[in-house]
Amino acid sequence: MGDRPARGATLEDVARVAGVSRATVSRVINGIRNVDVEIQEAVRRAIAATGYAPNRAARSLVTRRAGNIALVVSGSPGASDGFSASVLTDPFFGRVAAGAVDFLRPLGIHPLLMLADTDQAREDVVDHLRQGSADGALLVSTHAEDPLPELFVRAGVPAVLFARPATPSPISYVDLAHQDGAKLAAEHLLARGCRRLATITGPLDVPASQDRLAGFRDAMARHGHAYLPILEGDFKQESGETAMERLLTEHPRVDGVFVANDLMAQGALLVLRQHGRRVPEDVAVVGFDDSPPALACRPQLTTVRQPVEDMAAEMARLLLSHIEDAGRDPASVIFDPTLVVRASA
Amino acid sequence: MGDRPARGATLEDVARVAGVSRATVSRVINGIRNVDVEIQEAVRRAIAATGYAPNRAARSLVTRRAGNIALVVSGSPGASDGFSASVLTDPFFGRVAAGAVDFLRPLGIHPLLMLADTDQAREDVVDHLRQGSADGALLVSTHAEDPLPELFVRAGVPAVLFARPATPSPISYVDLAHQDGAKLAAEHLLARGCRRLATITGPLDVPASQDRLAGFRDAMARHGHAYLPILEGDFKQESGETAMERLLTEHPRVDGVFVANDLMAQGALLVLRQHGRRVPEDVAVVGFDDSPPALACRPQLTTVRQPVEDMAAEMARLLLSHIEDAGRDPASVIFDPTLVVRASA
DNA sequence: ATGAAAGCGCTAACAA
DNA sequence: TTGTTAGCGCTTTCAT
């Protein structure tokens, strides 16, 4: 019964116990064939006997691969209670993380969670990548004009974005056909008889918000509806409340609202009820995302589903291919939204 | 204008450019004094000129430190839509992550996100730690009898738990004085005049749920209330709805409810309104956590605040000290809850 | 105050 | 099929 903490057995130790060379042990560990079955067995036994666990750093040093990737969320320093809290607590981000994790886990790859809400933080992220802490990055930007994509291409760091960057960059991204989604919402609202429509948008400096608005407006116009009140929010619940409040005073006869995400729609629903408006009878509401809050509402939200988890998985797939082949050209993959009809419209 | 991707300058390169030895460059990089100021300058210039970025793997190999830690969430494979989605989308977990990230970031440490919902996954997590991918682990278990803490101590992996483990283990943890929190809730409910109280608990196999229940029951008993209907939930919103539904049929005259977390309380509120009960006039409701959903409810939740972010930061602090000093004895740090009075009670 | 040199543990040619 | 041998890029005694 030895009991020293045994500062880790090395390949050398295993080799000695198994009576073979380090190279051979390395081969069986890395699943390279051309190793006698008998010897494989011996090696395995030696590994078990020594409690050997390969040293990641040593391996990375020679393979030039960290074996994990970075999941970075970039934004501007949250006004009040911190960027970290608001973003990590946002169900949308949770879905992105879940999608990436589920795809990566079977591959033995884990995401390094990094937030970049200041220039300093962004620089740190780039440094970490350059130092090889991670082999590439999955990037979710929460604001337009994020300098990070550009920093990544400049540093030669493999990266994939969630959503098309505001300024063109030679970098891969995954996105949703936002306009199509908005169109789905418009047609559903129109079909159920709404005639006085309005929309609560996301921050208008981000492409996704612009696209959802454009898609909704175009679809309305195509159906002859020239006028569309527009209220701008910031994708958080409270802004949905504020916007709906204003909408109700400025356009009291509104009978249908397209809200650019579920969190704001949730806030809108709250205000609607407070004002005694029945949903969907008096005012129909369609959200966007199909995130958990859509189910937490009463009535439950009719919403445009964005397959976030699948999109995140695709990001990971793309990233891996860029890591594999550094010369690969940037690619974009666009997903289709679907309408999930529940009780609010 | 050279233009090859320049497969990374090394210490050697910097040394050559600066006209000094590798050792000296290493010293200035690691901020070791005893380096001539002139030379420091020269080295810095050389670093800038070469665009040098230290190689993490090489450094880790000699220092035996990965420079990052693991943030692992352990649980059982979610019944329906996956463990990853439900946990990463849970505001409670988001707060833990935010607290850890905020504490660790200034130190240049990032968390490696790992989920462990199967035996296989748990083994993988332990392997990664043993391989030195991370220097230690922050663990949040979502179910009782999680084998991971034990696996960690057995593997000699530094780790700190969120919440006392169901089975005693020589391992550090951070926790809340759940009983005190429940007592706060009980006294508030009693003080506002409620007389027919009930409670919706979390899964009763986890210590936190048991403690909240015990604390509430004891406080009630001390005030002469012998009978307390108990409904068990699972910390998710839907279970709060189900429980409240049952409570209303079995104990229609209930006038106050203590719900073991905000998510379930949110569900309870929904059901209450659906049944035409006014909150807090007919039924007062007190939640637990003070998570984002507490504000998303109408009326907003009166709830027992758990300083999750501070607790997570403390976990990180403890973990770092265990990494620093492997011999350090396990420690526990208990935080005090506070009552946040809003509209629901 | 600085440099020389010995590894850290592993993979990958290259031989045999 | 297996072993030998170079390193990967860095930190760290130990001299100087």
Side-chain angles (χ1 to χ4, degrees):
Chain A
M1 319 273 196
D3 57 9
R4 252 182 317 158
R7 198 263 256 65
T10 72
L11 255 200
E12 185 79 48
D13 299 325
V14 178
R16 190 167 350 94
V17 172
V20 299
S21 73
R22 290 206 311 261
T24 299
V25 177
S26 178
R27 288 184 186 110
V28 352
I29 285 175
N30 294 299
I32 293 175
R33 49 177 163 283
N34 291 352
V35 179
D36 187 280
V37 190
E38 297 258 314
I39 294 197
Q40 285 197 32
E41 257 326 300
V43 170
R44 280 187 218 303
R45 265 195 305 276
I47 289 178
T50 55
Y52 172 75
N55 179 312
R56 273 271 171 140
R59 181 186 302 209
S60 292
L61 183 54
V62 24
T63 61
R64 302 174 163 295
R65 282 283 156 72
N68 49 225
I69 58 114
L71 174 55
V72 4
V73 189
S74 181
S76 29
S80 51
D81 73 303
F83 180 65
S84 61
S86 71
V87 76
L88 293 177
T89 243
D90 184 325
F92 175 80
F93 174 74
R95 290 177 65 195
V96 173
V101 166
D102 282 346
F103 178 82
L104 260 10
R105 207 153 46 129
L107 276 35
I109 299 177
H110 301 274
L112 215 36
L113 192 56
M114 304 183 165
L115 300 191
D117 55 349
T118 63
D119 282 336
Q120 177 58 55
R122 270 181 277 273
E123 215 167 285
D124 288 349
V125 168
V126 175
D127 279 349
H128 258 80
L129 272 295
R130 296 208 323 142
Q131 294 174 184
S133 298
D135 300 323
L138 256 24
L139 175 63
V140 182
S141 290
T142 64
H143 74 323
E145 305 304 339
D146 183 3
L148 217 31
E150 196 51 37
L151 292 178
F152 282 151
V153 325
R154 214 135 58 195
V157 171
V160 178
L161 315 186
F162 190 105
R164 160 170 56 89
T167 39
S169 260
I171 194 167
S172 287
Y173 68 85
V174 161
D175 209 341
L176 184 82
H178 299 284
Q179 307 224 14
D180 292 349
K183 185 178 171 205
L184 251 26
E187 292 176 344
H188 180 73
L189 252 9
L190 256 16
R192 83 184 318 282
C194 297
R195 286 302 170 264
R196 300 173 183 288
L197 265 23
T199 183
I200 295 176
T201 73
L204 286 176
D205 59 341
V206 341
S209 299
Q210 295 164 3
D211 292 353
R212 288 173 200 178
L213 169 57
F216 191 72
R217 182 159 44 193
D218 290 357
M220 297 297 302
R222 199 160 329 182
H223 286 267
H225 295 262
Y227 180 53
L228 176 68
I230 297 171
L231 294 288
E232 182 177 355
D234 67 1
F235 280 148
K236 295 185 199 164
Q237 178 184 321
E238 208 192 319
S239 73
E241 300 181 31
T242 312
M244 182 52 87
E245 202 74 67
R246 266 191 41 218
L247 180 57
L248 250 21
T249 61
E250 295 173 11
H251 302 271
R253 302 180 55 207
V254 62
D255 65 358
V257 187
F258 168 50
V259 189
N261 83 343
D262 292 343
L263 233 34
M264 294 193 295
Q266 189 178 198
L269 248 33
L270 254 22
V271 171
L272 247 12
R273 172 157 40 210
Q274 212 165 285
H275 284 256
R277 305 292 181 107
R278 291 169 305 161
V279 175
E281 297 82 357
D282 300 331
V283 183
V285 175
V286 174
F288 207 105
D289 276 353
D290 193 24
S291 290
L295 271 351
C297 288
R298 272 321 105 90
Q300 294 194 327
L301 276 178
T302 285
T303 187
V304 177
R305 178 172 178 79
Q306 182 170 197
V308 179
E309 293 84 355
D310 296 341
M311 295 167 75
E314 179 62 31
M315 287 175 77
R317 194 193 327 273
L318 277 173
L319 180 59
L320 260 25
S321 81
H322 274 112
I323 290 172
E324 204 62 46
D325 170 12
R328 201 182 182 299
D329 281 332
S332 59
V333 180
I334 309 300
F335 285 72
D336 288 316
T338 51
L339 185 73
V340 178
V341 179
R342 284 195 272 255
S344 74
Chain B
M1 316 287 192
D3 58 7
R4 251 181 318 159
R7 199 263 254 65
T10 72
L11 254 200
E12 185 79 48
D13 300 324
V14 177
R16 190 166 349 93
V17 172
V20 299
S21 73
R22 291 206 309 260
T24 299
V25 178
S26 178
R27 287 184 186 110
V28 353
I29 286 175
N30 294 298
I32 292 175
R33 48 178 161 283
N34 289 355
V35 180
D36 187 280
V37 190
E38 297 258 312
I39 294 196
Q40 285 197 32
E41 256 326 298
V43 170
R44 279 187 218 303
R45 266 196 304 275
I47 289 178
T50 54
Y52 172 74
N55 179 311
R56 273 276 171 129
R59 183 186 302 212
S60 293
L61 183 54
V62 25
T63 61
R64 302 177 164 293
R65 282 284 154 72
N68 51 228
I69 58 114
L71 173 55
V72 5
V73 189
S74 181
S76 29
S80 51
D81 74 303
F83 181 65
S84 61
S86 70
V87 76
L88 293 177
T89 242
D90 185 325
F92 175 81
F93 174 75
R95 291 178 66 196
V96 173
V101 166
D102 283 346
F103 177 83
L104 260 10
R105 208 155 43 129
L107 276 34
I109 300 177
H110 301 275
L112 215 37
L113 192 56
M114 306 184 164
L115 300 192
D117 55 350
T118 62
D119 282 335
Q120 176 58 54
R122 269 181 278 274
E123 214 167 285
D124 288 348
V125 167
V126 175
D127 278 349
H128 258 80
L129 272 296
R130 295 208 326 142
Q131 295 175 181
S133 299
D135 301 323
L138 256 25
L139 175 63
V140 182
S141 291
T142 64
H143 74 321
E145 305 303 337
D146 182 3
L148 217 29
E150 197 50 38
L151 292 178
F152 282 152
V153 325
R154 213 136 56 195
V157 171
V160 178
L161 315 187
F162 190 106
R164 160 170 55 91
T167 39
S169 259
I171 194 167
S172 286
Y173 67 86
V174 161
D175 208 342
L176 184 82
H178 299 284
Q179 307 222 14
D180 292 349
K183 186 178 169 205
L184 252 25
E187 291 177 345
H188 180 73
L189 253 9
L190 255 16
R192 83 183 319 281
C194 297
R195 286 302 171 265
R196 300 173 183 288
L197 265 24
T199 184
I200 295 177
T201 74
L204 286 176
D205 58 342
V206 341
S209 298
Q210 295 163 4
D211 291 353
R212 290 175 199 176
L213 169 58
F216 190 72
R217 181 160 44 194
D218 290 357
M220 297 296 302
R222 199 160 332 180
H223 285 267
H225 296 262
Y227 181 53
L228 176 68
I230 296 171
L231 295 288
E232 182 176 356
D234 67 1
F235 280 147
K236 295 188 200 162
Q237 177 183 322
E238 209 192 319
S239 74
E241 300 181 31
T242 313
M244 183 52 86
E245 201 75 67
R246 266 194 37 220
L247 180 57
L248 250 21
T249 61
E250 295 174 10
H251 302 271
R253 301 181 55 208
V254 62
D255 65 359
V257 187
F258 168 51
V259 189
N261 82 344
D262 292 344
L263 234 36
M264 293 193 296
Q266 189 177 199
L269 248 33
L270 255 22
V271 170
L272 246 12
R273 173 158 40 214
Q274 212 166 284
H275 284 256
R277 305 292 181 107
R278 292 169 306 161
V279 175
E281 297 82 356
D282 301 332
V283 183
V285 175
V286 173
F288 207 108
D289 276 353
D290 193 24
S291 290
L295 271 351
C297 288
R298 274 318 106 91
Q300 293 193 328
L301 275 178
T302 285
T303 186
V304 177
R305 177 171 179 79
Q306 182 171 200
V308 179
E309 293 83 355
D310 296 341
M311 295 168 76
E314 180 61 32
M315 287 176 76
R317 192 193 327 273
L318 277 173
L319 180 57
L320 259 26
S321 81
H322 273 113
I323 290 172
E324 205 62 47
D325 170 11
R328 201 182 182 299
D329 280 333
S332 59
V333 180
I334 309 299
F335 286 72
D336 288 317
T338 51
L339 186 71
V340 178
V341 179
R342 284 196 273 255
S344 73

Short mmCIF file of all heavy atoms in Angstrom, two decimals, chain B residues 11 22 26 30 52 55 58-59, chain D residues 8-15:
data_model
loop_
_atom_site.label_atom_id
_atom_site.label_comp_id
_atom_site.label_asym_id
_atom_site.label_seq_id
_atom_site.Cartn_x
_atom_site.Cartn_y
_atom_site.Cartn_z
N LEU B 11 10.41 32.32 -27.35
CA LEU B 11 11.28 33.02 -26.42
C LEU B 11 12.65 33.21 -27.07
O LEU B 11 13.27 34.26 -26.97
CB LEU B 11 11.49 32.17 -25.17
CG LEU B 11 10.78 32.56 -23.89
CD1 LEU B 11 11.48 31.91 -22.73
CD2 LEU B 11 10.79 34.06 -23.74
N ARG B 22 17.45 33.51 -23.22
CA ARG B 22 16.05 33.13 -22.99
C ARG B 22 15.67 33.38 -21.53
O ARG B 22 14.61 33.89 -21.24
CB ARG B 22 15.87 31.63 -23.25
CG ARG B 22 16.01 31.22 -24.68
CD ARG B 22 15.22 29.94 -24.93
NE ARG B 22 15.53 28.89 -23.97
CZ ARG B 22 16.35 27.88 -24.20
NH1 ARG B 22 16.96 27.78 -25.36
NH2 ARG B 22 16.57 26.97 -23.29
N SER B 26 12.47 35.42 -20.16
CA SER B 26 11.50 34.75 -19.30
C SER B 26 11.30 35.57 -18.03
O SER B 26 10.17 35.76 -17.56
CB SER B 26 11.99 33.35 -18.96
OG SER B 26 11.09 32.71 -18.08
N ASN B 30 7.79 37.20 -16.72
CA ASN B 30 7.15 36.78 -15.48
C ASN B 30 7.32 37.78 -14.35
O ASN B 30 7.11 37.47 -13.18
CB ASN B 30 7.68 35.41 -15.08
CG ASN B 30 7.28 34.36 -16.09
OD1 ASN B 30 6.10 34.11 -16.29
ND2 ASN B 30 8.25 33.77 -16.75
N TYR B 52 5.52 38.45 -30.08
CA TYR B 52 5.62 37.24 -29.28
C TYR B 52 4.43 37.00 -28.33
O TYR B 52 3.93 37.93 -27.70
CB TYR B 52 6.89 37.30 -28.44
CG TYR B 52 7.01 36.20 -27.43
CD1 TYR B 52 7.31 34.90 -27.81
CD2 TYR B 52 6.79 36.47 -26.08
CE1 TYR B 52 7.41 33.89 -26.88
CE2 TYR B 52 6.89 35.45 -25.14
CZ TYR B 52 7.20 34.17 -25.54
OH TYR B 52 7.29 33.18 -24.62
N ASN B 55 3.84 30.47 -25.11
CA ASN B 55 3.11 29.24 -25.37
C ASN B 55 2.65 28.62 -24.05
O ASN B 55 3.44 28.14 -23.25
CB ASN B 55 4.01 28.29 -26.14
CG ASN B 55 3.33 26.97 -26.44
OD1 ASN B 55 2.75 26.36 -25.57
ND2 ASN B 55 3.40 26.55 -27.69
N ALA B 58 3.71 24.92 -23.21
CA ALA B 58 5.10 24.79 -22.78
C ALA B 58 5.23 25.26 -21.33
O ALA B 58 5.89 24.63 -20.50
CB ALA B 58 6.00 25.62 -23.68
N ARG B 59 4.58 26.35 -21.06
CA ARG B 59 4.66 26.87 -19.70
C ARG B 59 4.02 25.90 -18.70
O ARG B 59 4.58 25.59 -17.66
CB ARG B 59 3.96 28.22 -19.64
CG ARG B 59 4.06 28.85 -18.27
CD ARG B 59 3.24 30.10 -18.18
NE ARG B 59 3.68 31.05 -19.20
CZ ARG B 59 3.63 32.37 -19.02
NH1 ARG B 59 3.19 32.86 -17.89
NH2 ARG B 59 4.01 33.17 -19.98
P DC D 8 12.15 22.29 -31.87
OP1 DC D 8 12.09 22.73 -33.28
OP2 DC D 8 13.05 22.97 -30.92
"O5'" DC D 8 10.70 22.32 -31.24
"C5'" DC D 8 9.55 21.91 -31.98
"C4'" DC D 8 8.36 21.96 -31.03
"O4'" DC D 8 8.40 20.80 -30.19
"C3'" DC D 8 8.40 23.16 -30.10
"O3'" DC D 8 7.53 24.16 -30.63
"C2'" DC D 8 7.87 22.64 -28.77
"C1'" DC D 8 7.92 21.10 -28.90
N1 DC D 8 8.82 20.40 -27.96
C2 DC D 8 8.36 19.33 -27.21
O2 DC D 8 7.18 18.98 -27.32
N3 DC D 8 9.22 18.70 -26.37
C4 DC D 8 10.49 19.11 -26.27
N4 DC D 8 11.29 18.45 -25.44
C5 DC D 8 10.97 20.20 -27.04
C6 DC D 8 10.12 20.82 -27.86
P DG D 9 8.15 25.63 -30.92
OP1 DG D 9 7.17 26.32 -31.77
OP2 DG D 9 9.56 25.52 -31.34
"O5'" DG D 9 8.13 26.28 -29.48
"C5'" DG D 9 6.90 26.41 -28.80
"C4'" DG D 9 7.14 26.75 -27.35
"O4'" DG D 9 7.82 25.66 -26.70
"C3'" DG D 9 8.03 27.98 -27.13
"O3'" DG D 9 7.36 28.81 -26.22
"C2'" DG D 9 9.32 27.42 -26.56
"C1'" DG D 9 8.82 26.17 -25.86
N9 DG D 9 9.80 25.11 -25.69
C8 DG D 9 10.82 24.77 -26.54
N7 DG D 9 11.53 23.75 -26.12
C5 DG D 9 10.95 23.39 -24.92
C6 DG D 9 11.28 22.36 -24.00
O6 DG D 9 12.19 21.53 -24.09
N1 DG D 9 10.44 22.35 -22.91
C2 DG D 9 9.39 23.22 -22.72
N2 DG D 9 8.69 23.06 -21.61
N3 DG D 9 9.06 24.19 -23.56
C4 DG D 9 9.88 24.22 -24.64
P DC D 10 7.91 30.14 -25.66
OP1 DC D 10 6.83 31.12 -25.66
OP2 DC D 10 9.20 30.45 -26.30
"O5'" DC D 10 8.17 29.73 -24.15
"C5'" DC D 10 7.05 29.34 -23.36
"C4'" DC D 10 7.50 28.58 -22.14
"O4'" DC D 10 8.38 27.53 -22.56
"C3'" DC D 10 8.30 29.40 -21.14
"O3'" DC D 10 7.44 29.76 -20.06
"C2'" DC D 10 9.40 28.48 -20.67
"C1'" DC D 10 9.26 27.23 -21.51
N1 DC D 10 10.53 26.77 -22.10
C2 DC D 10 11.23 25.74 -21.48
O2 DC D 10 10.78 25.26 -20.43
N3 DC D 10 12.38 25.29 -22.03
C4 DC D 10 12.82 25.84 -23.17
N4 DC D 10 13.96 25.35 -23.69
C5 DC D 10 12.13 26.90 -23.82
C6 DC D 10 11.00 27.33 -23.26
P DT D 11 7.93 30.82 -18.99
OP1 DT D 11 6.73 31.38 -18.36
OP2 DT D 11 8.96 31.69 -19.61
"O5'" DT D 11 8.66 29.86 -17.94
"C5'" DT D 11 7.86 28.94 -17.22
"C4'" DT D 11 8.73 28.11 -16.32
"O4'" DT D 11 9.81 27.48 -17.06
"C3'" DT D 11 9.40 28.86 -15.18
"O3'" DT D 11 9.32 28.01 -14.05
"C2'" DT D 11 10.84 29.02 -15.64
"C1'" DT D 11 11.04 27.72 -16.42
N1 DT D 11 12.06 27.71 -17.49
C2 DT D 11 12.98 26.69 -17.50
O2 DT D 11 13.02 25.82 -16.65
N3 DT D 11 13.85 26.71 -18.56
C4 DT D 11 13.90 27.64 -19.58
O4 DT D 11 14.72 27.54 -20.48
C5 DT D 11 12.92 28.69 -19.50
C7 DT D 11 12.89 29.76 -20.57
C6 DT D 11 12.05 28.68 -18.47
P DT D 12 9.49 28.55 -12.57
OP1 DT D 12 8.41 28.01 -11.75
OP2 DT D 12 9.72 30.00 -12.66
"O5'" DT D 12 10.85 27.86 -12.15
"C5'" DT D 12 11.11 26.52 -12.54
"C4'" DT D 12 12.56 26.19 -12.31
"O4'" DT D 12 13.32 26.39 -13.52
"C3'" DT D 12 13.23 27.06 -11.24
"O3'" DT D 12 14.01 26.20 -10.42
"C2'" DT D 12 14.10 28.01 -12.04
"C1'" DT D 12 14.50 27.11 -13.23
N1 DT D 12 14.90 27.84 -14.45
C2 DT D 12 15.86 27.25 -15.25
O2 DT D 12 16.39 26.19 -15.00
N3 DT D 12 16.17 27.97 -16.38
C4 DT D 12 15.64 29.18 -16.77
O4 DT D 12 16.01 29.73 -17.80
C5 DT D 12 14.65 29.73 -15.87
C7 DT D 12 14.01 31.04 -16.19
C6 DT D 12 14.32 29.04 -14.76
P DT D 13 14.15 26.44 -8.86
OP1 DT D 13 14.32 25.16 -8.22
OP2 DT D 13 13.08 27.39 -8.47
"O5'" DT D 13 15.52 27.24 -8.81
"C5'" DT D 13 16.58 26.73 -8.03
"C4'" DT D 13 17.26 25.53 -8.71
"O4'" DT D 13 17.20 25.66 -10.16
"C3'" DT D 13 18.73 25.49 -8.33
"O3'" DT D 13 19.15 24.16 -8.05
"C2'" DT D 13 19.45 26.08 -9.53
"C1'" DT D 13 18.50 25.77 -10.70
N1 DT D 13 18.49 26.88 -11.70
C2 DT D 13 19.23 26.74 -12.83
O2 DT D 13 19.93 25.76 -13.05
N3 DT D 13 19.15 27.80 -13.70
C4 DT D 13 18.40 28.95 -13.56
O4 DT D 13 18.41 29.82 -14.41
C5 DT D 13 17.65 29.03 -12.33
C7 DT D 13 16.81 30.22 -12.05
C6 DT D 13 17.73 28.02 -11.46
P DC D 14 20.45 23.91 -7.17
OP1 DC D 14 20.60 22.45 -6.98
OP2 DC D 14 20.40 24.81 -6.00
"O5'" DC D 14 21.61 24.43 -8.14
"C5'" DC D 14 21.91 23.69 -9.33
"C4'" DC D 14 22.97 24.42 -10.11
"O4'" DC D 14 22.37 25.52 -10.85
"C3'" DC D 14 24.07 25.04 -9.24
"O3'" DC D 14 25.33 24.63 -9.76
"C2'" DC D 14 23.87 26.54 -9.39
"C1'" DC D 14 23.23 26.64 -10.77
N1 DC D 14 22.40 27.85 -10.98
C2 DC D 14 22.44 28.50 -12.23
O2 DC D 14 23.17 28.04 -13.12
N3 DC D 14 21.70 29.62 -12.42
C4 DC D 14 20.92 30.08 -11.42
N4 DC D 14 20.20 31.18 -11.67
C5 DC D 14 20.86 29.43 -10.16
C6 DC D 14 21.61 28.33 -9.98
P DA D 15 26.59 24.65 -8.76
OP1 DA D 15 27.04 23.26 -8.54
OP2 DA D 15 26.29 25.50 -7.58
"O5'" DA D 15 27.66 25.40 -9.65
"C5'" DA D 15 27.36 26.70 -10.05
"C4'" DA D 15 27.84 26.94 -11.47
"O4'" DA D 15 26.81 27.71 -12.12
"C3'" DA D 15 29.10 27.81 -11.49
"O3'" DA D 15 29.82 27.62 -12.70
"C2'" DA D 15 28.52 29.21 -11.40
"C1'" DA D 15 27.17 29.08 -12.15
N9 DA D 15 26.10 29.83 -11.48
C8 DA D 15 25.58 29.60 -10.23
N7 DA D 15 24.63 30.45 -9.89
C5 DA D 15 24.53 31.28 -11.00
C6 DA D 15 23.70 32.38 -11.28
N6 DA D 15 22.80 32.85 -10.43
N1 DA D 15 23.86 32.99 -12.48
C2 DA D 15 24.77 32.52 -13.33
N3 DA D 15 25.60 31.49 -13.20
C4 DA D 15 25.42 30.92 -11.99
#
